[in-house]
Amino acid sequence: MKESSVRYVCRECGHIENKWNGRCPECGSWNSFDEEKTIPAQKGRNGDSQPVIDSSVQRLSDIPYETSMRVSSSIEELDRVLGGGVMRPSSVLVGGEPGIGKSTIMIQMLSALSSSSPVLYVSGEESPSQVRMRAERLGLRSESISVFCDTRLEALSETIERVSPGYIVIDSLQTLYSASVASAAGSPNQIKVCCMELSQLAKKIGAAIFFIGHVTKDGLIAGPKIVEHMVDTVLYFESAETGMRLLRAGKNRFGSVDEIGLFTMDAKGLHVVKDPSSLFLSSRNGNALPSGIAFTSVVEGSRTFSVEIQALVVPARSGYQRIYSDRIDNARVSRVAAILQKHAGLNLSDQDIYVNVAGGMKLSEVSIELALALALYSSKEDMPLKASVAAFGELSLAGEVRPVSFADRRLKNLSDMGFSEVLTAENKRGLQISVKKVSNIKAALIAAFSTRN
């Protein structure tokens, strides 16, 4: 038998080199090469080192498929992000910070799906008794979930072929290892090999497999980036300041990546949020607002909800403008501030700007720019807006207010939330809400603050 050899694998893109390099020639990452030992593949039954595969060519129209491959997980928000339900076969990678609820939502999903098909929960971090304790704490039927606590790829593959489950959860991908790879569990090559083998096996038996992945300090899923290309769907769990959990799709071959799932978490597990606007709007008595507050409506996939943008403008200590904004991109805040200075005469160049979104929601839509401008102006001039006024629209560099998509949905949402007046770039009629058309930022400021309380 040949001795094992050494190679170097880029943890970012999976590129392989025979010697260590400071910079990856494939993706350009610095200091990303990890040393790995490799063992030559064993020969198969036919005497070749390569596996036997089906190389026949078929017409695309002749390939059979099932029209009912998507199954509801009984968790409305998870189905929304997945594109309508769990696809079989498919492979899904779920990432998020420790303790955010990845294992909880997966075992809740398996419990709901166990009535229609066998399910398997593979635990590499918890003992079987710990898994049972968590299931009983969540009020789930523990007898309907099969548990396997061996992290060897070969033993796991044999078990999956024997049990033939319809749904599989791997908790977590970083704990698996294969004897054919001469490196420790969690190394880039181990993660890549285990993910590929199990994804192919799941497709072979027609199962949906979910991999729970660790994340780095930057919030990215740990391991080589190539793993995200191997799977069909990549989900990210995020936490908001209110304790709410947000589930997003970074990749989805079976649906949109624009959807967002909203959950709250307690001792009984994760619960879907029926009315998200109630979490993103602060409760205040009376009709008076403090300065620096503006309301808008955002669209995330098929969901529309109202949010509150908060701004604080104060003189800069150093004389140079600094922007502090975790929930809205700093470049967007800086651009809106420049538009206000150029077209509304509001000098913000020597001011520190703090921007926040109530409830901890991250906003990236261009539709928030008009409301952001109103919040900045309100804080700088110490002029509060009326609590019944909301706004949405994109700001051009020329100071124009441009229309945005889904205006009717936004107006209906604002009307349902009790707003009586909306500033936007379009003149909409036939709605139970007063719509004021504003063509530029100066007109918007006049309309917003001329009749304030």
Side-chain angles (χ1 to χ4, degrees), residues 263-283:
F263 300 88
T264 57
M265 189 173 180
D266 58 21
K268 295 296 183 180
L270 289 162
H271 309 281
V272 300
V273 176
K274 297 294 184 181
D275 182 16
S277 294
S278 62
L279 296 176
F280 298 122
L281 296 179
S282 301
S283 299

Side-chain angles (χ1 to χ4, degrees), residues 58-64:
Q58 296 176 277
R59 292 182 184 275
L60 186 60
S61 59
D62 296 336
I63 299 175

